[in-house]
Amino acid sequence: MKRFYALFKQTWWLWTIYLILNIGLIFFVSPVFWAVLPMIVVIFIYFALVRYDEEGNFTGA
């Protein structure tokens, strides 16, 4: 769980931008962008698992 916190602590602004842009696309372009929300979660989990160890330290991989 520390790895997820460490990733979010360093990149919270990026994930917030992605979320706001996606919400804008949902309301102003097409509801099909609802499908992007689960993709953002999967990408976040992937980067946390690849880039951080169990203690939340950046591995630089």
Side-chain angles (χ1 to χ4, degrees):
M1 197 65 179
K2 291 180 183 179
R3 63 178 50 171
F4 299 112
Y5 177 73
L7 176 64
F8 189 74
K9 184 178 175 184
Q10 290 185 348
T11 61
W12 64 269
W13 55 274
L14 180 64
W15 301 105
T16 305
I17 291 170
Y18 285 157
L19 187 62
I20 290 170
L21 286 174
N22 192 42
I23 290 172
L25 289 170
I26 290 169
F27 286 112
F28 296 115
V29 178
S30 173
V32 75
F33 287 100
W34 277 104
V36 175
L37 291 176
M39 292 177 204
I40 292 174
V41 173
V42 170
I43 292 168
F44 178 81
I45 292 170
Y46 171 76
F47 277 109
L49 293 175
V50 170
R51 295 288 201 170
Y52 293 88
D53 63 6
E54 295 83 17
E55 297 300 318
N57 299 319
F58 184 69
T59 60

